[in-house]
Amino acid sequence: MDARIQQSVVANLSNRPAPVEVGPFVIGTDPTTSSPHINYATPRPGATVTAGDVAALVTAFRAAGRKPRLEYVTSCAPDLETLLTDAGFVVEARHTYLVCAPGTLRTPPALDHIRLYEPATDPERAALIGAQHEAFGGNPVASEADVARLLRQQGAGGVAVMAVTDDGTCAGGGGAAPPADGVSEVAGIAVRTPHRRQGLAGAITADITRRLFDVGVEIAWLEASGEDSWRVYERAGYRPAGRRLYIGLD
């Protein structure tokens, strides 16, 4: 399972607008944003990594004008963390990832006064992104680049779902990366503050996951940011499966 999840990360980064391959690493770079949560690297599962590879990776990040940063499943590169910390990298977070298969998905009852659907126009995409930004404490205004990025993800086979109230307000949403070898990452599950504690996050998660399984995805995976989200995802049928590391160099 770890190898399949890690390979899906490699595929996701390889699909960025300007990916860079550096020895055993893939850097996913996007010229339209400097966000380290979009521009980061990961190792190919099972690859041998040396201190020289890490030095070359840092050089490539500097050349691209991006912060050197990695996210990866730890078991797929067990010696890498030591090489990175020796080079000055600092651990940002350690997360457990959770997985769901078609047989374990649990769909909650439909919510009153909320519709879940995929955004089909740029204004709808902007509303979804704005709700996500607001829920995560950012600027609630979506840029043209944000909208174009979501459109590109949908065009490549990714999923986006928005939750809309009867008065047309986008209460939240989320999405999933284009599937790779039957695996897709679910991410960005967000609910605006006035609509929390009503089961909406679970409904969004289950709806995205169902859409993935409807097109043949075998494994959906995600990460929980805290105990509350962990419970939401477990109620939707997700189960802990492995460990991932976030690590960066200032």
Side-chain angles (χ1 to χ4, degrees), residues 154-186:
Q154 288 179 287
V159 172
V161 168
M162 59 193 303
V164 180
T165 64
D166 288 344
D167 65 4
T169 300
C170 183
D181 295 325
V183 180
S184 177
E185 179 187 6
V186 175

Side-chain angles (χ1 to χ4, degrees), residues 132 136 153 159 173-177 185-190 208 221-223 233:
Q132 290 174 306
F136 292 131
Q153 175 175 302
V159 172
E185 179 187 6
V186 175
I189 305 298
I208 293 169
W221 70 277
L222 49 67
E223 291 178 338
Y233 301 143

